[in-house]
């Protein structure tokens, strides 16, 4: 078994912390993290949405990691403290992976791409070096035990690479998502998530560098408390942001919608909203006629009365919701839980608000001009 290297100063005896606030504040902030964990756990169970499942994992691992970091700083035994410290670092890595998966789901409704596979591989290698041959430097500052990994080792280099690469990937995706988001509310979500990431991940990721480079006259217990404080505040910002959109799940993912179309059973357009600037009103007319013809041919050939629900193209997906007097078509790059929810809610509100107009429809599309407000509510 490989031995763990611990560098102990001569005066490594435990003392009472000179700054009790460095432990008190993180302990207080631990409570809302647990509350968010319970909230997202309930949402994940009730709604079966992957986004909530990974948010639950992120808050669970972050909360436990913060607690273990505090415990490791007050344990009198360095051997026990370093084991607790390693466990906290492993949970921090899992938390970061969960965060990366959350934003992958926000952007696209699939879990893995080559970047995330690379991140998972890095985390696996880092975890292996932490467990098999950790080089941990230990000191006692201000009555608190301070642990961090020696940076001139393979594990330290991999950890630094992972931190820089993951933060760079997040920042890049934040910029892209904010630029491409069509909703002001969604742009606001992206902005606050970015602020939360700066607090919770950037400061936390480079905390070991802070310890290693800090001059001796700094109060290390204050630094420990501030870093844990910033990480907790960052996670609270992330939690509050997702909590605020809990009742508007269509904002939880970036939508890639080209067209929303409502047409009558006879194939006459009733209402449409074009999101793709390359599409024209003529394209809408052609699509309406094509959908009416395809549905009629399908029903006649298969003897099935219900309309087609989904048509998959190479780079597009067309979803259809059928109602007794009309059909609603959503053309998008690919279907997500967010777009499906928005589509269903639009159809529900459209049918409720314009039931009489639909029943007496004779070709006057102006009767549905107010439906733009419903579109703005769920799509714009």
């Amino acid at each position: 078994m490989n031995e763990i290297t611990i560098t102990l100063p001569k005066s490594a005896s435990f003392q009472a912390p000179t700054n009790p606030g460095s432990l008190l504040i993180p302990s207080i902030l631990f409570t809302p993290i647990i509350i968010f964990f319970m909230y997202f756990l309930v949402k994940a169970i009730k709604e079966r949405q992957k986004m909530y499942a990974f948010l639950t994992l992120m808050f669970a691992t972050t909360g436990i990691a913060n607690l273990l970091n505090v415990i490791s700083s007050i344990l009198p035994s360095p051997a026990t403290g370093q084991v607790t410290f390693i466990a906290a670092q492993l949970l921090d890595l899992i938390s970061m992976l969960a965060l990366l998966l959350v934003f992958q789901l926000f952007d696209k409704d699939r879990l893995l791409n080559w970047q995330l596979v690379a991140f998972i591989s890095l985390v696996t290698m880092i975890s292996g070096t932490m467990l098999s041959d950790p080089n941990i430097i230990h000191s006692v500052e201000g009555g608190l035990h301070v642990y961090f990994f020696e940076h001139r080792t393979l594990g330290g280099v991999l950890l630094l690479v992972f931190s820089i690469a993951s933060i760079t990937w997040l920042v890049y995706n934040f910029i892209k998502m904010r630029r491409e988001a069509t909703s002001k509310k969604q742009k606001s979500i992206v902005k606050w998530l970015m602020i939360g990431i700066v607090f919770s991940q950037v400061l936390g990721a480079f905390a070991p560098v802070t310890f290693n480079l800090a001059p001796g006259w700094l109060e290390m217990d204050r630094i420990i408390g501030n870093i844990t404080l910033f990480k907790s505040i960052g996670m609270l910002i992330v939690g509050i942001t997702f909590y605020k959109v809990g009742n508007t799940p269509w904002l939880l993912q970036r939508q890639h919608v080209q067209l929303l179309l409502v047409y009558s059973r006879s194939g006459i357009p009733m209402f449409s909203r074009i999101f793709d600037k390359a599409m024209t009103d003529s394209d809408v007319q052609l699509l309406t006629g094509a959908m009416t013809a395809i549905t009629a041919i399908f029903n006649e050939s298969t003897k099935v009365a219900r309309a087609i629900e989904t048509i998959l193209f190479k780079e597009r997906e067309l979803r259809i919701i059928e109602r007794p007097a009309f059909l609603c078509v959503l053309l998008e790059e690919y279907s997500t839980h967010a777009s499906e929810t928005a589509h269903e809610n639009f159809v529900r509100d459209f049918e409720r608000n314009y039931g009489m107009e639909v029943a007496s429809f004779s070709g006057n599309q102006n009767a549905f001009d107010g439906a733009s407000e419903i579109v703005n509510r769920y799509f714009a």
Side-chain angles (χ1 to χ4, degrees):
M1 181 180 295
N2 294 314
E3 295 184 355
I4 296 173
T5 302
I6 303 177
T7 303
L8 287 173
K10 294 181 179 179
S11 59
S13 58
F14 178 74
Q15 305 170 6
T18 58
N19 181 21
S22 61
L23 299 179
L24 178 62
I25 295 175
S27 301
I28 294 174
L29 290 173
F30 180 75
T31 302
I33 289 179
I34 295 301
I35 292 174
F36 278 123
F37 160 72
M38 296 300 299
Y39 170 78
F40 289 121
L41 177 62
V42 171
K43 295 286 283 187
I45 294 173
K46 289 177 61 177
E47 301 191 15
R48 304 290 182 181
Q49 191 170 349
K50 290 178 287 187
M51 177 79 72
Y52 287 128
F54 286 109
L55 283 168
T56 302
L57 175 63
M58 184 177 70
F59 276 96
T61 51
T62 298
I64 298 173
N66 285 355
L67 181 62
L68 291 179
N69 275 323
V70 172
I71 292 174
S72 68
S73 67
I74 61 176
L75 285 174
S77 169
T80 306
Q82 60 84 22
V83 172
T84 308
F85 169 75
I86 291 174
Q89 299 308 301
L90 291 174
L91 288 172
D92 266 335
L93 288 173
I94 296 173
S95 175
M96 188 63 171
L97 268 183
L99 179 66
L100 295 174
L101 289 169
V102 164
F103 289 104
Q104 173 68 10
L105 287 171
F106 184 90
D107 186 40
K108 296 182 179 179
D109 197 32
R110 62 172 182 262
L111 285 178
L112 296 178
N113 55 17
W114 69 267
Q115 295 101 325
L116 285 175
V117 171
F119 287 137
I120 292 172
S121 301
L122 268 175
V123 168
T124 302
M125 289 188 288
I126 294 169
S127 301
T129 58
M130 283 185 181
L131 295 172
S132 63
D133 188 23
N135 288 281
I136 300 176
I137 296 177
H138 166 260
S139 63
V140 178
E141 302 288 346
L144 292 177
H145 292 264
V146 179
Y147 302 90
F148 58 90
F149 289 104
E150 171 61 49
H151 300 298
R152 292 179 294 274
T153 62
L154 176 60
V157 171
L158 290 176
L159 187 59
L160 184 62
V161 169
F162 173 74
S163 299
I164 294 175
S166 58
I167 292 170
T168 302
W169 185 81
L170 282 172
V171 171
Y172 168 77
N173 279 278
F174 272 123
I175 294 173
K176 184 182 71 171
M177 286 188 290
R178 182 170 173 79
R179 183 179 65 248
E180 297 179 357
T182 57
S183 167
K184 291 182 179 179
K185 290 183 179 179
Q186 208 164 49
K187 287 181 181 292
S188 177
I189 291 171
V190 173
K191 179 188 72 175
W192 282 106
L193 289 177
M194 183 64 184
I195 294 173
I197 295 308
V198 169
F199 273 88
S200 65
Q201 299 300 331
V202 176
L203 293 176
F206 294 103
V209 179
T210 304
F211 292 146
N212 206 18
L213 300 180
W217 53 267
L218 283 180
E219 294 184 54
M220 293 304 294
D221 58 330
R222 188 181 300 275
I223 294 176
I224 297 168
N226 287 341
I227 288 173
T228 307
L229 172 64
F230 288 145
K231 290 181 68 175
S232 299
I233 290 176
M235 291 305 298
L236 293 182
I237 293 174
V238 172
I240 291 171
T241 302
F242 278 108
Y243 170 78
K244 289 177 67 176
V245 296
N247 295 323
T248 54
W250 53 90
L251 293 176
L252 284 174
Q253 289 176 299
R254 190 164 63 88
Q255 299 170 0
H256 303 260
V257 180
Q258 277 75 48
L259 173 68
L260 178 71
L261 170 65
V262 181
Y263 62 96
S264 67
R265 286 284 184 178
S266 58
I268 302 175
M270 304 169 72
F271 173 82
S272 65
R273 168 67 69 86
I274 298 174
F275 297 93
D276 188 347
K277 296 179 180 179
M279 296 190 70
T280 65
D281 291 336
S282 299
D283 296 327
V284 175
Q285 294 286 347
L286 288 172
L287 181 61
T288 304
M291 289 304 305
T292 304
I294 291 172
T295 301
I297 293 172
F298 179 81
N299 292 344
E300 178 65 26
S301 60
T302 62
K303 310 303 179 184
V304 176
R306 292 184 61 83
I308 301 169
E309 292 185 353
T310 305
I311 298 178
L312 296 177
F313 303 96
K314 184 176 181 180
E315 296 181 351
R316 294 289 185 273
E317 183 171 341
L318 195 147
R319 295 188 72 251
I320 307 168
I321 295 180
E322 180 185 11
R323 288 294 182 265
F326 68 91
L327 294 93
C328 183
V329 172
L330 186 69
L331 180 64
E332 54 189 339
E333 289 183 20
Y334 48 82
S335 179
T336 66
H337 185 277
S339 62
E340 290 175 5
T341 303
H343 191 193
E344 292 165 0
N345 287 346
F346 171 83
V347 171
R348 179 200 64 202
D349 290 1
F350 185 87
E351 186 176 29
R352 181 176 57 197
N353 294 354
Y354 296 99
M356 295 181 60
E357 289 82 352
V358 169
S360 60
F361 179 67
S362 59
N364 180 22
Q365 297 182 19
N366 294 331
F368 306 102
D369 286 346
S372 294
E373 295 181 4
I374 306 176
V375 176
N376 294 337
R377 188 181 309 151
Y378 298 117
F379 292 100

